Coordinates of all heavy atoms in Angstrom, one line a residue:
M312 N 1.6 -12.5 55.7 CA 1.9 -11.3 56.5 C 2.5 -11.7 57.8 O 2.1 -12.7 58.4 CB 0.7 -10.4 56.6 CG 0.2 -9.7 55.3 SD 1.5 -8.5 54.8 CE 0.5 -7.8 53.4
V313 N 3.5 -10.9 58.2 CA 4.1 -11.1 59.5 C 3.8 -10.0 60.4 O 3.9 -8.8 59.9 CB 5.6 -11.3 59.3 CG1 6.3 -11.6 60.6 CG2 5.9 -12.4 58.2
G314 N 3.6 -10.3 61.6 CA 3.5 -9.2 62.6 C 2.2 -8.5 62.7 O 1.5 -8.6 61.7
R315 N 2.1 -7.7 63.7 CA 0.7 -7.0 63.8 C 0.8 -5.7 63.1 O 1.9 -5.3 62.8 CB 0.5 -6.8 65.3 CG 1.3 -5.9 66.0 CD 0.9 -5.7 67.4 NE 1.9 -5.0 68.2 CZ 1.9 -3.5 68.1 NH1 1.0 -2.9 67.5 NH2 2.7 -2.9 68.9
D316 N -0.2 -5.1 62.9 CA -0.3 -3.8 62.3 C 0.2 -2.7 63.3 O 0.0 -2.8 64.5 CB -1.8 -3.4 62.0 CG -2.3 -4.2 60.8 OD1 -1.5 -4.6 60.0 OD2 -3.6 -4.3 60.7
L317 N 1.0 -1.9 62.7 CA 1.3 -0.7 63.5 C 0.7 0.5 63.0 O 0.2 0.5 61.8 CB 3.0 -0.5 63.3 CG 3.8 -1.3 64.0 CD1 5.2 -1.2 63.5 CD2 3.9 -1.4 65.5
K318 N 0.6 1.6 63.7 CA 0.1 2.9 63.3 C 1.3 3.9 63.2 O 2.3 3.7 63.9 CB -0.9 3.4 64.4 CG -2.3 2.6 64.3 CD -3.2 3.4 65.2 CE -3.1 3.1 66.7 NZ -3.2 1.9 67.2
P319 N 1.2 4.8 62.1 CA 2.2 5.7 62.0 C 2.5 6.4 63.5 O 3.7 6.7 63.8 CB 1.7 6.7 61.1 CG 0.7 5.9 60.2 CD 0.2 4.9 61.2
S320 N 1.4 6.7 64.2 CA 1.6 7.4 65.5 C 2.3 6.5 66.6 O 2.7 7.1 67.7 CB 0.2 7.8 66.0 OG -0.6 6.6 66.2
D321 N 2.6 5.2 66.2 CA 3.4 4.3 67.2 C 4.9 4.8 67.2 O 5.7 4.5 67.9 CB 3.2 3.0 66.8 CG 1.8 2.4 67.2 OD1 1.2 2.9 68.0 OD2 1.4 1.4 66.5
H322 N 5.3 5.4 66.0 CA 6.6 5.7 65.8 C 7.2 6.9 66.7 O 6.4 7.8 66.8 CB 7.1 6.1 64.3 CG 8.5 5.9 64.1 ND1 9.5 6.7 64.4 CD2 9.2 4.8 63.4 CE1 10.7 6.3 64.0 NE2 10.4 5.0 63.4
P323 N 8.3 6.7 67.4 CA 8.9 7.7 68.3 C 9.3 9.0 67.7 O 9.5 9.9 68.4 CB 9.8 6.9 69.1 CG 10.4 5.9 68.2 CD 9.2 5.5 67.4
K324 N 9.7 9.0 66.4 CA 10.3 10.1 65.8 C 9.2 10.8 65.0 O 8.7 10.2 64.1 CB 11.5 9.8 65.1 CG 12.5 8.9 65.7 CD 13.1 9.8 66.8 CE 14.4 9.1 67.5 NZ 15.0 9.9 68.5
K325 N 9.2 12.2 65.2 CA 8.3 13.1 64.5 C 8.3 13.0 63.0 O 7.3 12.9 62.2 CB 8.3 14.5 65.1 CG 7.4 15.4 64.4 CD 7.2 16.8 65.2 CE 8.5 17.4 65.4 NZ 9.1 18.2 64.3
D326 N 9.6 13.2 62.5 CA 9.8 13.2 61.1 C 9.3 12.0 60.4 O 8.8 11.9 59.3 CB 11.2 13.5 60.7 CG 11.6 15.0 61.0 OD1 10.8 15.7 61.6 OD2 12.7 15.3 60.7
V327 N 9.7 10.8 61.0 CA 9.4 9.7 60.4 C 7.8 9.3 60.5 O 7.2 8.8 59.5 CB 10.1 8.4 61.1 CG1 9.8 7.0 60.6 CG2 11.6 8.7 61.1
R328 N 7.2 9.7 61.6 CA 5.8 9.6 61.8 C 5.1 10.3 60.7 O 4.2 9.8 60.1 CB 5.5 10.3 63.2 CG 4.3 9.6 63.9 CD 4.5 9.7 65.4 NE 4.5 11.1 65.8 CZ 5.2 11.5 66.8 NH1 6.0 10.8 67.5 NH2 5.3 12.8 67.1
R329 N 5.5 11.5 60.3 CA 4.8 12.3 59.3 C 4.9 11.6 57.9 O 3.9 11.6 57.3 CB 5.6 13.7 59.2 CG 4.6 14.7 58.6 CD 5.3 16.2 58.6 NE 5.5 16.6 60.0 CZ 6.6 17.2 60.4 NH1 7.6 17.4 59.6 NH2 6.8 17.6 61.7
V330 N 6.1 11.1 57.6 CA 6.2 10.3 56.3 C 5.3 9.1 56.4 O 4.5 8.7 55.4 CB 7.6 10.0 56.0 CG1 7.8 9.0 54.9 CG2 8.4 11.3 55.7
L331 N 5.3 8.3 57.5 CA 4.5 7.1 57.5 C 3.0 7.5 57.5 O 2.1 6.8 56.8 CB 4.8 6.4 58.9 CG 6.1 5.8 59.1 CD1 6.2 5.2 60.4 CD2 6.4 4.7 58.0
E332 N 2.6 8.5 58.1 CA 1.2 8.9 58.0 C 0.8 9.2 56.5 O -0.3 8.9 56.1 CB 0.9 10.3 58.8 CG 0.8 9.9 60.4 CD 0.9 11.1 61.1 OE1 1.2 12.3 60.7 OE2 0.8 11.0 62.4
K333 N 1.7 10.0 55.8 CA 1.5 10.2 54.4 C 1.3 8.9 53.6 O 0.2 9.0 52.8 CB 2.6 11.0 53.8 CG 2.7 11.2 52.3 CD 3.9 11.9 51.9 CE 4.1 11.7 50.5 NZ 5.5 12.3 50.0
W334 N 2.2 8.1 53.8 CA 2.1 6.8 52.9 C 0.9 5.8 53.3 O 0.2 5.2 52.5 CB 3.3 6.1 52.8 CG 4.4 7.0 51.9 CD1 5.4 7.7 52.4 CD2 4.3 7.3 50.5 NE1 5.9 8.5 51.6 CE2 5.3 8.2 50.3 CE3 3.4 6.9 49.5 CZ2 5.5 8.6 49.0 CZ3 3.8 7.2 48.3 CH2 4.7 8.2 48.1
V335 N 0.7 5.6 54.6 CA -0.3 4.9 55.1 C -1.7 5.3 54.6 O -2.6 4.7 54.4 CB -0.2 4.7 56.6 CG1 -1.5 4.0 57.2 CG2 0.9 3.8 57.0
G336 N -1.8 6.8 54.7 CA -2.9 7.4 54.1 C -3.2 7.2 52.7 O -4.3 7.2 52.2
Q337 N -2.2 6.7 51.9 CA -2.4 6.4 50.6 C -2.5 4.8 50.4 O -2.3 4.3 49.2 CB -1.2 6.9 49.8 CG -1.3 8.4 49.7 CD -0.1 9.0 48.8 OE1 0.3 8.4 47.8 NE2 0.4 10.1 49.3
G338 N -2.6 4.2 51.4 CA -3.0 2.7 51.3 C -1.9 1.7 51.6 O -2.0 0.5 51.6
W339 N -0.6 2.2 52.0 CA 0.4 1.4 52.4 C 0.1 0.8 53.7 O -0.6 1.3 54.5 CB 1.8 2.2 52.5 CG 2.3 2.6 51.1 CD1 1.6 3.4 50.2 CD2 3.5 2.3 50.5 NE1 2.4 3.6 49.1 CE2 3.6 3.0 49.2 CE3 4.6 1.6 50.9 CZ2 4.6 2.8 48.3 CZ3 5.6 1.4 50.1 CH2 5.7 2.1 48.9
M340 N 0.7 -0.4 53.8 CA 0.5 -1.1 55.1 C 1.8 -1.1 56.0 O 2.8 -1.3 55.5 CB 0.1 -2.5 55.0 CG -1.4 -2.6 54.5 SD -1.8 -4.1 53.6 CE -0.7 -4.1 52.2
L341 N 1.5 -1.0 57.3 CA 2.7 -0.9 58.3 C 2.6 -2.0 59.2 O 1.6 -2.3 59.8 CB 2.7 0.4 59.0 CG 3.9 0.9 59.9 CD1 5.1 0.9 59.1 CD2 3.5 2.2 60.4
R342 N 3.6 -2.9 59.2 CA 3.6 -4.1 60.1 C 4.8 -4.2 61.0 O 5.9 -3.6 60.6 CB 3.7 -5.3 59.1 CG 2.6 -5.5 58.1 CD 1.5 -6.4 58.7 NE 0.4 -6.2 57.8 CZ -0.8 -6.9 58.0 NH1 -0.9 -7.7 59.1 NH2 -1.8 -6.7 57.3
K343 N 4.5 -4.6 62.2 CA 5.7 -4.9 63.2 C 6.6 -6.0 62.6 O 6.2 -7.2 62.5 CB 5.2 -5.2 64.4 CG 6.2 -5.2 65.6 CD 5.6 -5.2 66.9 CE 6.7 -5.3 68.0 NZ 7.8 -4.4 67.8
E344 N 7.8 -5.6 62.3 CA 8.8 -6.6 61.7 C 10.2 -6.0 61.8 O 10.4 -4.8 61.6 CB 8.3 -6.8 60.2 CG 8.5 -8.2 59.6 CD 8.0 -8.3 58.2 OE1 7.0 -7.7 58.0 OE2 8.7 -8.8 57.4
G345 N 11.2 -6.8 61.8 CA 12.5 -6.4 61.8 C 12.8 -5.5 63.1 O 12.3 -5.8 64.2
H346 N 13.6 -4.5 62.8 CA 14.0 -3.5 64.0 C 12.8 -2.9 64.5 O 12.7 -2.5 65.8 CB 15.1 -2.7 63.6 CG 16.4 -3.4 63.3 ND1 17.0 -4.2 64.3 CD2 17.1 -3.6 62.2 CE1 18.2 -4.7 63.8 NE2 18.2 -4.4 62.4
W347 N 12.0 -2.5 63.7 CA 10.7 -1.7 64.2 C 9.5 -2.1 63.4 O 8.6 -2.7 63.9 CB 11.0 -0.2 64.2 CG 9.8 0.6 64.8 CD1 9.6 0.7 66.2 CD2 8.6 1.1 64.2 NE1 8.3 1.3 66.4 CE2 7.8 1.6 65.2 CE3 8.3 1.2 63.0 CZ2 6.6 2.3 65.0 CZ3 7.1 1.9 62.7 CH2 6.2 2.4 63.7
G348 N 9.7 -1.8 62.1 CA 8.5 -2.2 61.2 C 8.8 -2.2 59.8 O 9.9 -1.8 59.5
K349 N 7.9 -2.5 59.0 CA 8.1 -2.5 57.5 C 6.8 -2.0 56.8 O 5.8 -2.2 57.2 CB 8.4 -4.0 56.9 CG 9.8 -4.4 57.0 CD 10.1 -5.6 56.3 CE 11.5 -6.0 56.4 NZ 11.8 -7.3 55.9
L350 N 7.1 -1.1 55.9 CA 6.0 -0.5 55.1 C 5.9 -1.3 53.8 O 6.9 -1.5 53.0 CB 6.6 1.0 54.8 CG 5.5 2.0 54.4 CD1 4.3 2.1 55.4 CD2 6.2 3.4 54.3
Y351 N 4.7 -1.7 53.5 CA 4.3 -2.5 52.4 C 3.5 -1.7 51.3 O 2.5 -1.2 51.7 CB 3.5 -3.7 52.6 CG 4.3 -4.8 53.5 CD1 4.5 -4.7 54.8 CD2 4.8 -5.9 52.8 CE1 5.2 -5.8 55.6 CE2 5.5 -6.9 53.5 CZ 5.7 -6.8 54.8 OH 6.4 -7.8 55.5
C352 N 4.0 -1.8 50.0 CA 3.1 -0.9 49.1 C 2.0 -1.6 48.7 O 1.9 -2.8 48.9 CB 4.1 -0.7 47.8 SG 4.3 -2.1 46.8
P353 N 1.0 -0.8 48.3 CA -0.4 -1.3 47.9 C -0.5 -1.7 46.6 O -1.7 -2.1 46.3 CB -1.3 -0.1 48.3 CG -0.4 1.1 47.9 CD 1.0 0.6 48.2
C354 N 0.5 -1.7 45.7 CA 0.3 -2.0 44.2 C 0.0 -3.5 44.0 O 0.4 -4.3 44.9 CB 1.3 -1.5 43.5 SG 2.8 -2.3 43.3
E355 N -0.5 -3.8 42.9 CA -0.8 -5.1 42.6 C 0.4 -6.0 42.7 O 0.3 -7.3 43.1 CB -1.5 -5.2 41.2 CG -2.4 -6.5 41.0 CD -3.1 -6.3 39.6 OE1 -3.4 -5.2 39.3 OE2 -3.2 -7.4 39.0
A356 N 1.6 -5.5 42.2 CA 2.7 -6.4 42.2 C 3.4 -6.4 43.5 O 4.3 -7.1 43.7 CB 3.7 -5.7 41.2
A357 N 3.0 -5.6 44.5 CA 3.7 -5.6 45.8 C 5.1 -5.4 45.7 O 5.9 -6.1 46.2 CB 3.2 -6.8 46.6
C358 N 5.5 -4.4 44.9 CA 6.9 -4.3 44.5 C 7.8 -3.8 45.5 O 9.0 -4.0 45.4 CB 7.0 -3.4 43.3 SG 6.6 -1.7 43.6
T359 N 7.3 -3.2 46.6 CA 8.3 -2.4 47.5 C 8.0 -2.7 48.9 O 6.8 -2.7 49.4 CB 8.1 -0.9 47.2 OG1 8.5 -0.6 45.9 CG2 9.2 -0.2 48.2
T360 N 8.9 -3.1 49.7 CA 8.9 -3.2 51.1 C 10.0 -2.3 51.7 O 11.1 -2.4 51.1 CB 8.8 -4.5 51.7 OG1 10.1 -5.1 51.3 CG2 7.8 -5.4 51.2
I361 N 9.6 -1.6 52.6 CA 10.7 -0.6 53.3 C 10.9 -0.8 54.7 O 9.9 -0.6 55.4 CB 10.2 0.9 52.9 CG1 10.0 1.2 51.4 CG2 11.3 1.9 53.4 CD1 9.4 2.4 51.1
P362 N 12.1 -1.1 55.2 CA 12.4 -1.3 56.6 C 12.3 0.0 57.3 O 12.9 0.9 56.8 CB 13.7 -2.0 56.5 CG 14.3 -1.9 55.3 CD 13.3 -1.4 54.3
I363 N 11.6 0.0 58.4 CA 11.5 1.2 59.1 C 12.2 1.1 60.5 O 11.9 0.2 61.2 CB 10.0 1.6 59.4 CG1 9.1 1.7 58.2 CG2 9.9 3.0 60.2 CD1 9.5 2.7 57.2
S364 N 13.2 2.0 60.7 CA 14.0 1.9 62.0 C 13.2 2.7 63.0 O 12.7 3.7 62.9 CB 15.3 2.5 61.8 OG 16.0 2.6 63.0
G365 N 13.2 2.0 64.2 CA 12.5 2.6 65.4 C 13.4 3.7 66.0 O 12.9 4.5 66.8
S366 N 14.7 3.6 65.8 CA 15.7 4.6 66.3 C 16.7 4.9 65.4 O 17.9 4.6 65.6 CB 16.3 3.9 67.6 OG 16.9 2.7 67.3
P367 N 16.2 5.7 64.3 CA 17.3 6.0 63.3 C 18.3 7.0 63.9 O 18.0 7.8 64.7 CB 16.5 6.6 62.3 CG 15.2 7.1 62.9 CD 15.0 6.2 64.0
Q368 N 19.5 6.9 63.4 CA 20.6 7.9 63.9 C 20.3 9.3 63.4 O 20.5 10.2 64.2 CB 22.0 7.4 63.3 CG 22.4 6.2 63.9 CD 23.9 5.9 63.5 OE1 24.3 6.4 62.4 NE2 24.7 5.2 64.3
N369 N 19.7 9.3 62.3 CA 19.3 10.7 61.8 C 17.8 10.7 61.3 O 17.6 10.1 60.3 CB 20.2 11.1 60.7 CG 20.0 12.5 60.1 OD1 18.7 13.0 60.1 ND2 20.9 13.2 59.7
E370 N 16.9 11.1 62.1 CA 15.5 10.9 61.8 C 15.1 11.6 60.6 O 14.2 11.0 59.9 CB 14.6 11.2 63.1 CG 14.6 12.7 63.3 CD 13.6 13.0 64.4 OE1 12.3 13.0 64.1 OE2 13.9 13.2 65.6
G371 N 15.6 12.7 60.3 CA 15.3 13.5 59.0 C 15.8 12.7 57.9 O 15.0 12.5 56.9
A372 N 17.0 12.1 57.9 CA 17.5 11.4 56.7 C 16.7 10.1 56.6 O 16.4 9.8 55.4 CB 18.9 11.2 56.9
H373 N 16.4 9.4 57.7 CA 15.6 8.2 57.4 C 14.2 8.5 56.9 O 13.7 7.9 56.0 CB 15.4 7.5 58.9 CG 14.9 6.2 58.8 ND1 15.4 5.2 58.0 CD2 13.8 5.6 59.4 CE1 14.7 4.0 58.2 NE2 13.7 4.4 59.0
A374 N 13.7 9.6 57.4 CA 12.3 9.9 56.9 C 12.4 10.2 55.4 O 11.5 9.9 54.6 CB 11.8 11.2 57.7
R375 N 13.4 11.0 54.9 CA 13.4 11.3 53.6 C 13.7 10.0 52.6 O 13.3 9.9 51.6 CB 14.7 12.4 53.3 CG 14.3 13.7 53.7 CD 15.3 14.7 53.2 NE 16.6 14.5 53.7 CZ 17.0 15.0 54.9 NH1 16.2 15.6 55.7 NH2 18.2 14.7 55.3
R376 N 14.7 9.1 53.2 CA 14.8 7.9 52.5 C 13.6 7.1 52.3 O 13.3 6.5 51.2 CB 15.9 7.1 53.2 CG 16.2 5.8 52.6 CD 17.5 5.1 53.2 NE 18.0 4.1 52.4 CZ 17.4 2.8 52.4 NH1 16.5 2.6 53.4 NH2 17.9 1.9 51.7
V377 N 12.9 6.9 53.4 CA 11.6 6.2 53.3 C 10.6 6.8 52.3 O 10.1 6.2 51.4 CB 10.9 6.1 54.6 CG1 9.5 5.6 54.6 CG2 11.8 5.2 55.6
D378 N 10.5 8.2 52.3 CA 9.7 8.9 51.3 C 10.2 8.7 50.0 O 9.3 8.4 49.1 CB 9.8 10.4 51.8 CG 8.7 11.1 51.1 OD1 7.5 10.7 51.2 OD2 8.9 12.3 50.7
R379 N 11.5 8.7 49.7 CA 12.0 8.5 48.2 C 11.7 7.1 47.8 O 11.2 7.0 46.7 CB 13.6 8.8 48.3 CG 14.1 9.0 47.0 CD 15.6 9.6 47.1 NE 16.4 8.6 47.8 CZ 17.1 8.8 48.9 NH1 17.0 10.0 49.5 NH2 17.9 7.9 49.4
L380 N 11.9 6.1 48.7 CA 11.8 4.7 48.2 C 10.3 4.5 47.9 O 9.9 3.9 47.1 CB 12.2 3.7 49.3 CG 13.8 3.8 49.5 CD1 14.1 2.8 50.8 CD2 14.4 3.1 48.3
A381 N 9.5 5.1 48.9 CA 8.0 4.9 48.7 C 7.4 5.5 47.3 O 6.6 4.9 46.7 CB 7.3 5.4 49.8
S382 N 8.0 6.6 47.0 CA 7.6 7.3 45.7 C 7.9 6.6 44.5 O 7.4 6.9 43.4 CB 8.1 8.8 45.7 OG 9.5 8.7 45.6
R383 N 8.8 5.6 44.6 CA 9.1 4.7 43.4 C 8.1 3.8 43.0 O 8.2 3.2 42.0 CB 10.4 3.9 43.6 CG 11.6 4.9 43.8 CD 12.8 4.1 44.0 NE 14.1 4.8 44.0 CZ 15.2 4.5 44.5 NH1 15.2 3.2 44.8 NH2 16.2 5.3 44.5
C384 N 7.1 3.3 43.9 CA 6.2 2.4 43.6 C 5.1 2.9 42.7 O 4.7 4.2 42.9 CB 5.4 2.0 44.8 SG 3.9 1.1 44.7
P385 N 4.6 2.2 41.7 CA 5.0 0.9 41.4 C 6.3 0.9 40.4 O 6.4 1.6 39.5 CB 3.9 0.4 40.6 CG 3.3 1.6 39.9 CD 3.6 2.8 40.8
L386 N 7.2 0.0 40.8 CA 8.4 -0.3 40.1 C 8.0 -1.1 38.9 O 7.3 -2.2 39.0 CB 9.5 -1.0 40.9 CG 10.2 -0.2 42.0 CD1 11.1 -1.0 42.7 CD2 11.0 1.0 41.4
P387 N 8.7 -0.9 37.7 CA 8.5 -1.8 36.6 C 9.1 -3.2 36.9 O 10.1 -3.1 37.8 CB 9.2 -1.2 35.4 CG 10.0 -0.2 36.0 CD 9.4 0.2 37.4
P388 N 8.7 -4.3 36.4 CA 9.2 -5.7 36.9 C 10.7 -5.7 36.5 O 11.3 -6.5 37.3 CB 8.4 -6.7 36.0 CG 7.2 -5.9 35.5 CD 7.5 -4.4 35.5
E389 N 11.1 -5.0 35.6 CA 12.6 -5.2 35.2 C 13.5 -4.2 35.9 O 14.7 -4.1 35.7 CB 12.8 -5.2 33.8 CG 12.5 -3.9 33.0 CD 11.0 -3.5 32.9 OE1 10.1 -4.3 33.3 OE2 10.6 -2.6 32.2
A390 N 12.9 -3.5 36.8 CA 13.7 -2.4 37.6 C 14.9 -3.1 38.2 O 14.7 -4.0 39.0 CB 12.8 -1.6 38.5
P391 N 16.1 -2.5 38.0 CA 17.3 -3.1 38.7 C 17.3 -2.9 40.1 O 18.0 -3.7 40.9 CB 18.4 -2.3 38.0 CG 17.9 -1.1 37.5 CD 16.4 -1.4 37.1
N392 N 16.6 -1.9 40.7 CA 16.5 -1.6 42.1 C 15.3 -2.4 42.8 O 15.3 -2.3 44.0 CB 16.5 -0.1 42.3 CG 15.3 0.5 41.7 OD1 14.5 -0.1 41.0 ND2 15.1 1.8 42.0
R393 N 14.7 -3.1 42.1 CA 13.5 -3.8 42.6 C 13.9 -4.7 43.8 O 13.2 -4.9 44.7 CB 12.8 -4.6 41.6 CG 11.4 -5.1 41.9 CD 10.9 -5.9 40.7 NE 9.7 -6.6 40.9 CZ 8.5 -6.1 40.9 NH1 8.4 -4.8 40.6 NH2 7.4 -6.8 41.1
S394 N 15.0 -5.4 43.5 CA 15.3 -6.5 44.6 C 15.9 -5.8 45.9 O 15.9 -6.4 46.9 CB 16.3 -7.4 44.0 OG 17.6 -6.7 43.7
L395 N 16.4 -4.5 45.8 CA 16.8 -3.8 47.0 C 15.6 -3.4 47.9 O 15.8 -3.5 49.0 CB 17.6 -2.5 46.5 CG 18.9 -2.9 45.8 CD1 19.5 -1.5 45.4 CD2 19.8 -3.6 46.7
T396 N 14.6 -2.9 47.2 CA 13.7 -2.4 48.1 C 12.3 -3.3 48.2 O 11.5 -3.1 49.2 CB 13.0 -1.0 47.5 OG1 12.6 -1.3 46.0 CG2 14.2 -0.1 47.4
G397 N 12.2 -4.2 47.3 CA 11.0 -4.9 47.2 C 11.3 -6.4 47.7 O 12.2 -6.9 48.3
R398 N 10.2 -7.2 47.4 CA 10.4 -8.7 47.7 C 11.3 -9.3 46.7 O 11.7 -8.6 45.7 CB 8.9 -9.2 47.8 CG 8.2 -8.7 48.9 CD 6.7 -8.9 48.7 NE 6.0 -8.0 49.7 CZ 4.6 -7.9 49.8 NH1 3.9 -8.8 49.0 NH2 4.1 -7.1 50.5
A399 N 11.6 -10.6 46.8 CA 12.4 -11.3 45.9 C 11.8 -11.2 44.5 O 10.6 -11.1 44.3 CB 12.5 -12.8 46.2
R400 N 12.7 -11.4 43.6 CA 12.3 -11.3 42.1 C 11.3 -12.4 41.7 O 10.5 -12.1 40.8 CB 13.5 -11.3 41.3 CG 14.3 -10.1 41.1 CD 15.6 -10.4 40.5 NE 16.6 -9.4 40.7 CZ 16.6 -8.3 39.8 NH1 16.0 -8.3 38.8 NH2 17.5 -7.4 40.1
D401 N 11.4 -13.5 42.2 CA 10.5 -14.6 41.8 C 9.2 -14.6 42.5 O 9.0 -14.1 43.6 CB 11.3 -15.9 41.8 CG 11.9 -16.1 43.3 OD1 11.7 -15.2 44.2 OD2 12.6 -17.2 43.5
Ligands
ZN803 ZN1 4.4 -1.2 44.6

């Protein structure tokens, strides 16, 4: 694991904060990484990591995108979009 833990309340944008609160409440982990942070799914395969922007151009769109990506977990191992949102295939 890289970076320290972040709390959803650390995020400066309300819409994003609300989505982070929802997923962290379901066991997702939020780490300080990249431009602001990354959200790690809690499933056994750890299929999904989602980059979280600290200053999205459109906070509503960013919040919806994070929500949509998070709702895909757990992805099946053969999912073609797995490499886009998750860790490397191997
Ligand atoms: Zn997952």
Side-chain angles (χ1 to χ4, degrees):
M312 286 293 185
V313 184
R315 66 178 178 86
D316 287 335
L317 290 170
K318 289 192 283 297
S320 57
D321 292 334
H322 201 281
K324 303 291 186 186
K325 179 164 56 73
D326 287 7
V327 179
R328 213 153 56 218
R329 202 175 296 138
V330 166
L331 293 176
E332 278 164 4
K333 169 183 159 184
W334 292 103
V335 168
Q337 294 182 33
W339 289 61
M340 283 161 294
L341 190 58
R342 302 262 167 187
K343 184 163 181 52
E344 210 179 319
H346 290 298
W347 187 79
K349 275 190 182 169
L350 201 54
Y351 289 83
C352 80
C354 79
E355 203 174 322
C358 67
T359 304
T360 61
I361 303 170
I363 309 295
S364 172
S366 51
Q368 287 190 336
N369 181 329
E370 66 172 284
H373 188 57
R375 282 192 299 278
R376 180 169 190 276
V377 170
D378 197 42
R379 195 170 63 240
L380 290 173
S382 65
R383 291 177 179 169
C384 165
L386 289 172
E389 66 280 12
N392 53 358
R393 190 178 173 88
S394 61
L395 293 178
T396 57
R398 295 167 197 172
R400 281 166 193 273
D401 49 3

